[in-house]
Amino acid sequence: MKFIQQAYNGNNDWLAYIATIFLMFFGWQLIGIIPLVGVAYNHSENMSEFLNAANDSFMTLGINSNLYLILMIFTFFAGLVFLLIGVKFIHKRAILTVITSRSKIDWSRVMFAFCTWGAMGLVSFLIGYLVFPEDYVLNFKLVPFTILVLISFLLLPLQTSMEEVLFRGYLLQGFGTWFKRGFIALVLTAVIFGLLHSANPEVEKLGYITMVFYIGTGLLLGIFAIMDEGIELSLGFHAANNIFAAVLVTADWAAFQTEALFIDISEPQVDIVLFLPVIVLYPIIIYVFSKKYGWKNWKEKMFGVIRKPVVFDEDRFIA
């Protein structure tokens, strides 16, 4: 529980959380979006076209997909910066405390999670391609694809890191110390994480049944954070998931509209394949991580009471 208990290191009042969340949304949705709005406006022939695109998607204005991806990533980067400012100056906590309970970030954990989930994702895609080759069309364009790969590996982790610091760090700790149970914090952050993805085009196309995938992913990443006492594994997993999603395959109904290697031309449908990661792959990766990092005390970490650590004051016992 050390990771969740770190919320007690600074100002843990609920007003501090409201102020910080407001600050984060200010940076994310108002400051971070300025470059995107500027580019979109320049691509519009008139204000009416601009407003119509704003209600739908600025992608409809014909903005280069790689440029659009950079501009979208910047909005998340701005949100992350303002969130960390809130942690530092409103909560008066070290930024490291919303990332890990260790003395420094364990980058080996980040890379292990990245490589493990990246490999599993690549194998899953290859199986799908071999079984249903008619569903995919090769979309390789050397220059746009190379730029996409560079953007994805260098910048896309900023987007995933913002979500992980917010949900598996900041909010998990906040809910954990408020409700005194890691399991409650886990469920709340997973549900909120899922609901914030409800505007994704996949949800519009397939319906709210896809919330099972998003909420399930939120539960998985929260389990990583609670059991591993930090979000390093969550950071690596989430980065691999989004990078490979952006680079490998795209579809006209997918959240990532990129110059990916393949285009999925199949008609999306709700079937067992949609839930395969949650049902099969997620339990496997939990098992792999738990064995590698020796996770123990599941019951205590998930359902035990979270208390403020007692600080021993030696001065009170000096004669």
Side-chain angles (χ1 to χ4, degrees):
M1 296 182 185
K2 292 184 297 182
F3 180 60
I4 292 179
Q5 289 174 315
Q6 291 192 131
Y8 289 117
N9 289 341
N11 179 6
N12 202 42
D13 187 80
W14 65 272
L15 287 174
Y17 285 89
I18 291 177
T20 300
I21 292 297
F22 176 82
L23 185 65
M24 182 273 297
F25 269 99
F26 174 78
W28 180 19
Q29 296 295 321
L30 294 179
I31 301 299
I33 206 171
I34 290 176
L36 175 58
V37 170
V39 171
Y41 185 78
N42 287 333
H43 277 73
S44 305
E45 294 184 0
N46 51 60
M47 182 58 70
S48 177
E49 184 182 31
F50 171 79
L51 294 176
N52 288 334
N55 290 327
D56 183 16
S57 170
F58 286 133
M59 281 286 288
T60 59
L61 296 173
I63 302 174
N64 177 273
S65 62
N66 283 330
L67 174 59
Y68 187 80
L69 182 59
I70 292 174
L71 295 171
M72 287 301 298
I73 292 172
F74 181 78
T75 66
F76 286 91
F77 172 68
L80 176 61
V81 170
F82 278 78
L83 172 61
L84 296 180
I85 289 174
V87 170
K88 181 70 174 179
F89 296 102
I90 297 177
H91 287 277
K92 302 185 186 304
R93 291 168 52 190
I95 289 174
L96 184 66
T97 62
V98 292
I99 300 174
T100 185
S101 60
R102 287 167 271 274
S103 60
K104 59 181 180 180
I105 298 174
D106 187 345
W107 292 106
S108 67
R109 275 174 154 84
V110 177
M111 291 307 301
F112 180 77
F114 180 91
C115 293
T116 302
W117 185 243
M120 293 176 71
L122 181 59
V123 169
S124 297
F125 167 75
L126 290 176
I127 292 174
Y129 180 76
L130 291 174
V131 175
F132 303 106
E134 68 278 4
D135 290 345
Y136 300 93
V137 173
L138 184 64
N139 185 52
F140 180 68
K141 302 170 185 174
L142 179 60
V143 174
F145 180 72
T146 301
I147 295 173
L148 172 63
V149 170
L150 291 174
I151 294 171
S152 298
F153 279 88
L154 296 178
L155 300 181
L156 201 50
L158 294 174
Q159 176 255 323
T160 56
S161 295
M162 182 270 191
E163 293 188 8
E164 289 312 305
V165 172
L166 173 61
F167 289 102
R168 261 61 67 175
Y170 183 71
L171 290 179
L172 186 74
Q173 291 176 336
F175 288 138
T177 54
W178 291 354
F179 296 102
K180 309 300 181 185
R181 291 291 193 281
F183 181 75
I184 296 177
L186 172 65
V187 172
L188 286 174
T189 52
V191 170
I192 296 172
F193 178 75
L195 291 176
L196 285 182
H197 286 80
S198 63
N200 282 13
E202 295 94 336
V203 179
E204 180 180 352
K205 187 74 174 181
L206 297 173
Y208 283 96
I209 187 65
T210 54
M211 286 293 99
V212 172
F213 171 76
Y214 289 113
I215 294 176
T217 302
L219 289 172
L220 175 77
L221 296 171
I223 290 172
F224 292 169
I226 292 174
M227 294 307 302
D228 201 54
E229 301 288 2
I231 66 171
E232 289 99 332
L233 295 176
S234 304
L235 288 169
F237 178 99
H238 203 160
N241 187 77
N242 286 25
I243 287 173
F244 281 88
V247 169
L248 274 181
V249 60
T250 189
D252 60 5
W253 46 268
F256 284 117
Q257 298 290 314
T258 65
E259 294 289 350
L261 192 59
F262 291 92
I263 299 176
D264 184 349
I265 60 173
S266 64
E267 183 64 26
Q269 58 185 346
V270 178
D271 54 25
I272 190 63
V273 176
L274 178 65
F275 305 109
L276 184 64
V278 177
I279 298 172
V280 179
L281 299 183
Y282 287 3
I284 291 174
I285 202 165
I286 287 176
Y287 177 79
V288 171
F289 288 173
S290 66
K291 289 299 181 182
K292 179 172 178 61
Y293 296 109
W295 294 349
K296 299 177 180 179
N297 302 323
W298 281 78
K299 183 177 180 180
E300 175 64 20
K301 288 188 176 183
M302 287 292 173
F303 302 102
V305 178
I306 298 171
R307 296 183 175 90
K308 185 175 183 179
V310 177
V311 179
F312 183 73
D313 187 356
E314 294 183 351
D315 293 338
R316 293 178 58 189
F317 296 90
I318 297 177

